[in-house]
Amino acid sequence: MNCHRCGKPLPEKCRRNQIYCSRSCSARASTLRRRNGEPLPPRWQHSALTADNPALRAAAEHAQQLGQARGWSPSTTYCVLDGLITVLDGRSADERVPLSEVRTRPHRWVSRPRLAEVLTDLGLLTDDSVTAIRSWIDRVTSDLASGFAEPARHWLMVLLDGDTRARPRSPSTIYVYFGCVRPFLERWATRYDHLREVTRADIGAALEPLNGSKRSNAARALRSLFRFAKKRGLIFANPTTGLKARPVDFALLPMTDEEIHAVEQLATDPAWRVIVALAAENAARTGSIRRLKLADVDLANHRITLAGRRQRLGDLGHRAIRRWLDHRRATWPNTINPHVLVSPKTVHGAAPISQIFVNLRTQRTGCSVDRIRADRILHEALTAGPDPLHLTLVFGISHNTAARYATVAEHLLSDELEHLPAD
């Protein structure tokens, strides 16, 4: 492409809307245009907006409207239009685009989530990809011996998809379970040919060096694996029958002054203040806080709906949410994300914040949201009395979990009575 005034070739690394080779040519052309009374040249338009393909042109116009509605930067919009040219050029109007092609064909500057969002709105995207966790299951189980690989793979797939008698588990649970049993399976594969040869003595020897939460998680994972194998007829007897995976109660202790001070220092961030307030007042889990939507918050009546339970919103949470909403409104006024908490990566869509968004802030203090939540439940048990029914009604926890907190509270209260000075 050449300069519109002097005819010299434009530099190789120039803007796509550049028509002059230098500022001098641009200034002289502007002077001559004003002197001769000529109108301004037409504004540059992306080639996707003027394409001969009607499907591509309609998709480009929709992408431009969607970018304006959701606050995309001009560079993001232009790159999405580039991606539309790559995946739609030469296709018919009703031909759908595979998701694998969206992820591989466009150049590296194209935002794949934004491009997929445009195609999804137009009904032109088909998901032909394999989820990451399914690929991970195939990869990690292929490294095991055949007598252990097949039972482990079927077990992980049932955990992922569920069946008629079991609900699907989250990917994080699957990662933890297999991470616990993998060393045992690799060790047993050196001595046995199949999972059915593992005995109760092998289970005890594997768990013997473990303590605390590591032992509890490993016991749960082993019990789940062998229970599944027994139901499917892959083994003759379940060696984990009667194996107890007792919860670790040493974590159910009040927070120390150092932990409280660390959380106070971190609560200067508006988003983190909301997380701390909901965990400290309502004993909310991380998942409930992440998925909290604007429709679930009733600031006028001091009410909030967490995990489907409508409850009172305390003064600390009320002030934190109001401050965060003011910050959100000033920072991202055009976002359509329905969730209360958003991040720079989620303001352009409708997804909640990720677990990593929360973990990155908690790792700096060494005090997780679950730790704050447990301290709140334990404080209620110490204040209102160690009554499991009361804890179940207030926080919506199971009776077994409430009994754990009540037991710890009884021990703490009895220790305090024993150390009171005699009259």
Side-chain angles (χ1 to χ4, degrees):
M1 186 175 179
N2 298 330
C3 176
H4 282 201
R5 183 184 178 279
C6 65
K8 293 182 179 179
L10 295 178
E12 294 182 0
K13 295 183 179 180
C14 63
R15 303 188 313 272
R16 66 177 73 202
N17 60 345
Q18 185 173 338
I19 60 176
Y20 299 108
C21 62
S22 64
R23 292 185 179 180
S24 176
C25 282
S26 176
R28 291 178 183 177
S30 177
T31 301
L32 291 176
R33 187 171 57 248
R34 290 196 303 269
R35 184 181 299 171
N36 297 331
E38 297 176 358
L40 292 174
R43 296 191 64 179
W44 175 85
Q45 280 191 324
H46 197 282
S47 57
L49 297 170
T50 58
D52 296 333
N53 188 341
L56 174 58
R57 191 167 60 251
E61 293 174 355
H62 181 75
Q64 201 171 37
Q65 297 171 0
L66 194 63
Q68 293 175 355
R70 302 195 174 178
W72 297 354
S73 65
S75 60
T76 299
T77 304
Y78 292 152
C79 287
V80 169
L81 296 180
D82 290 342
L84 289 175
I85 292 178
T86 304
V87 299
L88 292 181
D89 194 19
R91 295 181 182 271
S92 59
D94 56 347
E95 187 176 357
R96 298 169 68 87
V97 181
L99 181 59
S100 58
E101 190 173 336
V102 172
R103 292 174 174 171
T104 56
R105 283 194 61 188
H107 62 74
R108 61 186 180 89
W109 292 330
V110 176
S111 174
R112 268 66 174 180
R114 305 287 85 80
L115 178 58
E117 188 176 353
V118 174
L119 294 174
T120 302
D121 286 351
L122 295 172
L124 297 177
L125 186 68
T126 177
D127 190 354
D128 63 338
S129 61
V130 179
T131 59
I133 188 168
R134 294 182 185 275
S135 301
W136 175 82
I137 290 174
D138 293 336
R139 185 176 67 256
V140 296
T141 54
S142 62
D143 298 335
L144 301 173
S146 59
F148 294 86
E150 286 302 318
R153 184 181 181 280
H154 292 325
W155 168 56
L156 294 176
M157 285 300 183
V158 170
L159 288 179
L160 178 64
D161 299 328
D163 59 7
T164 56
R165 300 185 61 183
R167 61 179 176 83
R169 300 301 181 93
S170 65
S172 58
T173 301
I174 298 174
Y175 291 141
V176 171
Y177 272 21
F178 187 74
C180 292
V181 304
R182 183 175 184 173
F184 306 147
L185 297 178
E186 293 175 347
R187 188 185 313 162
W188 294 331
T190 60
R191 293 180 293 167
Y192 305 129
D193 295 329
H194 199 278
L195 185 67
R196 67 173 66 97
E197 301 179 50
V198 178
T199 63
R200 183 59 180 263
D202 296 323
I203 301 293
L207 296 177
E208 183 179 0
L210 303 180
N211 295 310
S213 60
K214 291 184 178 180
R215 182 185 180 91
S216 177
N217 292 335
R220 287 193 181 96
L222 288 172
R223 192 170 57 184
S224 174
L225 170 61
F226 284 96
R227 184 183 298 168
F228 163 82
K230 182 65 171 65
K231 288 181 179 179
R232 295 300 193 276
L234 303 177
I235 60 177
F236 301 116
N238 184 358
T240 62
T241 301
L243 181 65
K244 300 297 183 182
R246 295 183 179 179
V248 186
D249 287 335
F250 63 81
L252 301 183
L253 295 175
M255 293 176 61
T256 62
D257 294 339
E258 291 77 10
E259 290 176 325
I260 296 175
H261 180 69
V263 172
E264 289 175 349
Q265 295 295 323
L266 193 61
T268 55
D269 179 67
W272 178 246
R273 185 181 289 271
V274 173
I275 297 173
V276 172
L278 295 180
E281 283 191 337
N282 300 86
R285 298 181 182 272
T286 306
S288 302
I289 299 174
R290 289 173 46 235
R291 291 185 287 269
L292 180 65
K293 295 187 176 182
L294 296 172
D296 298 329
V297 180
D298 185 1
L299 293 177
N301 296 315
H302 286 250
R303 290 291 183 271
I304 188 171
T305 303
L306 289 166
R309 294 183 64 253
R310 185 173 174 82
Q311 49 193 291
R312 180 182 178 276
L313 179 62
D315 293 336
L316 179 62
H318 187 272
R319 292 194 302 268
I321 292 178
R322 287 194 61 178
R323 180 180 176 182
W324 163 252
L325 292 180
D326 292 340
H327 171 77
R328 166 184 163 145
R329 195 177 301 111
T331 307
W332 302 290
N334 297 323
T335 180
I336 61 169
N337 195 307
H339 297 88
V340 173
L341 293 177
V342 294
S343 67
K345 291 186 177 181
T346 62
V347 290
H348 301 303
I353 59 175
S354 63
Q355 184 70 38
I356 299 178
F357 180 87
V358 180
N359 290 343
L360 289 177
R361 286 157 175 77
T362 58
Q363 288 173 357
R364 288 180 287 177
T365 63
C367 183
S368 64
V369 176
D370 290 337
R371 182 79 174 97
I372 302 173
R373 174 178 178 271
D375 183 79
R376 170 66 183 94
I377 300 176
L378 184 58
H379 181 269
E380 181 71 20
L382 293 172
T383 305
D387 182 6
L389 179 59
H390 173 76
L391 298 179
T392 301
L393 295 176
V394 172
F395 301 109
I397 57 180
S398 65
H399 180 74
N400 291 335
T401 303
R404 291 174 55 203
Y405 283 100
T407 302
V408 175
E410 288 178 355
H411 287 301
L412 293 176
L413 292 174
S414 62
D415 291 343
E416 290 183 1
L417 291 176
E418 291 176 0
H419 290 85
L420 285 177
D423 293 336

